């Protein structure tokens, strides 16, 4: 709703001057407060708007000073420290080889035990992943971060899978030494994780 | 426009694994803030996500004693938590409170007073007032009675909380208008100077009070 244009009179140093009120919508009403003068534009405009509109009370633009008075305290700071997240992933505690209720196993193998070494990921999980595009029926199981003699591990995995699946004639495996990973065609995540856990990785 | 919120599913198996690997700290009550502090989840309240809901997967291997507060839980999940001597509460967080709860450091950096948590909307108020769902608005006496009845239904002995070494942690609860444990609405947390500013004006105190 646009206010009607209405001339209003301001007394400025004894000389009456006529200013035109610029029409504004209610949402953007601004008060022009000049020194020594009171602007009666808004109330007059509201009166002119009609008998149905009520006179709005003058807005308080000052916040009471008592609101600014605060009590400074450190008594509850321990509750704030609880909320701060950790900067790094915490280290799990437990005896090597211990099986936790969720099925997570504490690693027990050391780098010298075997010709190869498979460390846990940053989240302390086994680095065995399933690559699968949801639309294609193409599954690739990959073991990553393999250190040391990766070909020895690949031979052991091939032997293990041949034992588990006697009906399978070919096990397609790809050993990528620079990327420290072994890729096997098919879904063998559970089998490979069990194999690595038995070794203690 | 749909008012229905979606919740991030959290399986009991994953919860147990987070506890086993020390990812989720159990020396404090577990709520949205602690679960988000693990860094394993992302919640966007602007996309009408309400928080966490506990799922049944891995329920049989759940062995931890925790005091957990989530946004949705079914009967089997409640039984699995209580069977191990823990406590579970379902609580509603309105979008602004949830934004503050999931990223407290960012929220405190804004320098505004901790807001009052709003009550659930009409279609959710029944859920959170029901003692069967362990709602935060339900009568604690009725919740205690439901705990006893659920133990009978699922056939386990309800462990005595007074005998537990973590009694204080297990019995900590938030006020319905509180977002963070121990911090009241109206307070401003100054992370730089490590102080809390509390209002003294009676009008302000009344506004922020429960």
């Amino acid at each position: 709703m646009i206010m009607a244009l209405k001339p209003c009179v301001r007394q400025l140093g004894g000389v009456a001057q006529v200013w035109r009120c610029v029409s504004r919508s209610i949402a953007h009403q601004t008060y022009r407060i000049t020194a020594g003068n009171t602007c009666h534009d808004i109330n007059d405009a509201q009166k002119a708007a009609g008998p149905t509109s009520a006179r709005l009370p003058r807005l308080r633009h000052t916040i009471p000073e008592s609101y600014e008075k605060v009590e400074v305290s450190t008594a509850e700071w321990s509750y704030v420290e609880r909320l701060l997240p950790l900067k790094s992933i915490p280290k799990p505690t437990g005896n090597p080889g211990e099986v936790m209720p969720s099925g997570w196993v504490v690693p027990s193998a050391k780098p010298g035990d075997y010709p190869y070494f498979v460390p846990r990921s940053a989240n302390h999980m086994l680095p065995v992943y399933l690559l699968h595009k949801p639309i294609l029926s193409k599954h690739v199981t990959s073991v990553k971060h393999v250190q040391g003699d990766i070909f020895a591990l690949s031979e052991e995995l091939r032997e293990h899978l041949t034992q588990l699946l006697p009906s399978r004639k070919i096990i397609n495996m790809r050993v990528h030494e620079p990327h420290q990973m072994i890729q096997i065609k098919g879904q063998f995540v559970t089998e490979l994780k069990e194999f690595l856990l038995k070794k203690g990785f | 426009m749909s008012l229905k919120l979606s919740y991030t599913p959290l399986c009991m198996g994953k919860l147990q694994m987070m506890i086993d690997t020390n990812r989720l700290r159990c020396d404090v009550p577990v709520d949205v803030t602690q679960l988000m502090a693990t860094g394993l989840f992302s919640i966007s309240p602007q996309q009408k996500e309400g928080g966490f809901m506990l799922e049944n997967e891995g329920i049989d291997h759940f062995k931890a004693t925790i005091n957990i507060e989530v946004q949705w839980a079914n009967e089997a999940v409640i039984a699995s938590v209580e069977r191990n001597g823990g406590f579970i509460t379902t609580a509603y967080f309105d979008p602004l409170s949830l934004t503050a709860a999931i990223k407290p450091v960012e929220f405190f950096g804004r320098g505004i007073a901790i807001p009052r948590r709003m009550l659930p909307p009409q279609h959710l108020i029944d859920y959170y007032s029901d003692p069967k769902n362990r709602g935060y608005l339900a009568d604690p006496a009725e919740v205690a009675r439901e705990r006893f009845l659920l133990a009978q239904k699922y056939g386990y002995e309800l462990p005595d909380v007074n005998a537990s070494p973590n009694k204080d942690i297990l019995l900590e609860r938030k006020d319905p208008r509180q977002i963070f444990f121990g911090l009241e609405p109206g307070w401003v947390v100054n992370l730089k100077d490590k102080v809390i500013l509390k209002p003294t004006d009676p009008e302000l105190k009344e506004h922020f009070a429960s």
Side-chain angles (χ1 to χ4, degrees):
Chain A
M1 194 184 108
I2 299 170
M3 293 296 184
L5 281 171
K6 186 184 171 14
C8 67
V9 177
R10 284 182 204 249
Q11 293 284 32
L12 205 71
V15 176
Q17 284 188 320
V18 179
W19 300 81
R20 275 203 181 270
C21 295
V22 177
S23 63
R24 290 171 218 269
S25 65
I26 291 177
H28 299 294
Q29 269 192 20
T30 50
Y31 292 81
R32 296 187 69 220
I33 301 165
T34 50
N37 290 311
T38 48
C39 178
H40 297 293
D41 313 349
I42 306 302
N43 285 326
D44 293 339
Q46 280 165 5
K47 273 194 224 164
T52 52
S53 72
R55 256 188 83 158
L56 295 170
R58 280 192 189 278
L59 290 174
R60 259 200 325 183
H61 289 283
T62 52
I63 299 165
E65 268 187 44
S66 58
Y67 278 25
E68 291 169 35
K69 292 202 182 77
V70 287
E71 184 196 319
V72 178
S73 144
T74 51
E76 297 89 1
W77 192 255
S78 58
Y79 288 108
V80 177
E81 291 198 324
R82 266 196 206 179
L83 304 170
L84 308 176
L86 295 165
K87 294 275 160 84
S88 59
I89 298 169
K91 282 201 179 120
T93 49
N95 300 316
E98 192 185 332
V99 183
M100 298 293 200
S102 59
W104 187 82
V105 182
V106 184
S108 55
K110 295 269 157 55
D113 295 346
Y114 302 97
Y116 45 84
F117 181 67
V118 185
R120 293 285 177 97
S121 72
N123 288 322
H124 307 289
M125 302 290 150
L126 282 165
V128 183
Y129 307 102
L130 180 66
L131 309 165
H132 167 51
K133 290 190 183 162
I135 299 162
L136 307 171
S137 62
K138 190 174 161 186
H139 303 268
V140 174
T141 312
S142 110
V143 182
K144 291 175 73 178
H145 311 309
V146 183
Q147 298 170 3
D149 191 353
I150 191 171
F151 294 96
L153 176 60
S154 75
E155 287 312 305
E156 286 193 36
L157 287 177
R158 190 184 289 277
E159 213 185 285
H160 179 69
L161 290 174
T162 324
Q163 257 178 6
L164 278 178
L165 313 153
S167 58
R168 208 178 175 109
K169 288 178 192 161
I170 305 166
I171 291 176
N172 285 315
M173 211 182 262
R174 174 197 182 200
V175 178
H176 199 297
E177 199 177 8
H179 283 187
Q180 297 186 314
M181 77 169 165
I182 299 168
Q183 281 184 338
I184 306 167
K185 186 176 171 184
Q187 299 179 62
F188 300 111
V189 175
T190 328
E191 289 87 350
L192 293 196
K193 278 189 176 174
E194 270 174 26
F195 177 85
L196 289 172
L197 285 175
K198 236 193 279 181
K199 295 265 176 179
F201 289 119
Chain B
M1 194 197 75
S2 168
L3 289 169
K4 268 197 165 176
L5 297 170
S6 62
Y7 301 95
T8 308
L10 174 59
C11 298
M12 297 304 280
K14 182 153 189 178
L15 185 62
Q16 181 65 49
M17 191 177 274
M18 289 200 295
I19 294 165
D20 290 340
T21 51
N22 285 344
R23 196 67 187 253
L24 181 66
R25 46 189 298 203
C26 281
D27 57 334
V28 293
V30 175
D31 65 341
V32 198
T33 317
Q34 295 305 326
L35 287 167
M36 289 303 289
T38 60
L40 296 169
F41 309 100
S42 71
I43 292 180
S44 49
Q46 310 101 299
Q47 306 303 324
K48 285 195 281 217
E49 288 180 21
F52 289 97
M53 70 175 173
L54 288 176
E55 299 271 272
N56 283 2
E57 191 120 6
I59 216 175
D60 301 318
H61 307 290
F62 190 74
K63 295 266 174 358
T65 310
I66 44 162
N67 175 8
I68 189 162
E69 187 196 68
V70 287
Q71 278 63 58
W72 201 273
N74 57 35
E75 196 185 57
V77 152
I78 294 169
S80 77
V81 171
E82 292 179 347
R83 174 202 296 264
N84 294 303
F87 286 85
I88 179 164
T89 318
T90 46
Y92 173 78
F93 280 80
D94 59 279
L96 289 177
S97 305
L98 192 59
T99 318
I102 59 180
K103 288 173 184 166
V105 176
E106 266 184 43
F107 174 75
F108 294 147
R110 289 170 60 194
I112 59 173
I114 296 170
R116 263 178 18 137
R117 201 184 350 154
M118 290 192 240
L119 290 175
Q122 280 190 341
H123 69 285
L124 288 175
I125 206 147
D126 285 326
Y127 182 85
Y128 291 108
S129 312
D130 198 350
K132 288 199 178 66
N133 301 321
R134 308 294 184 270
Y136 72 126
L137 298 172
D139 184 7
E142 286 188 34
V143 169
R145 186 171 164 270
E146 288 296 333
R147 270 169 62 87
F148 177 69
L149 290 176
L150 199 67
Q152 286 190 328
K153 180 174 178 180
Y154 280 76
Y156 58 85
E157 187 77 35
L158 201 61
D160 181 26
V161 70
N162 294 317
S164 157
N166 300 336
K167 185 182 164 185
D168 298 322
I169 302 162
L170 293 174
L171 293 176
E172 243 187 281
R173 298 280 181 277
K174 280 185 206 170
D175 186 78
R177 297 289 193 175
Q178 228 181 344
I179 299 176
F180 306 110
F181 278 109
L183 303 178
E184 291 173 22
W187 294 0
V188 179
V189 174
N190 186 341
L191 285 175
K192 187 165 177 278
D193 299 330
K194 301 208 176 151
V195 290
I196 299 172
L197 308 171
K198 303 179 190 177
T200 50
D201 188 65
E203 253 183 59
L204 276 182
K205 278 187 170 176
E206 200 193 309
H207 168 76
F208 284 115
S210 186

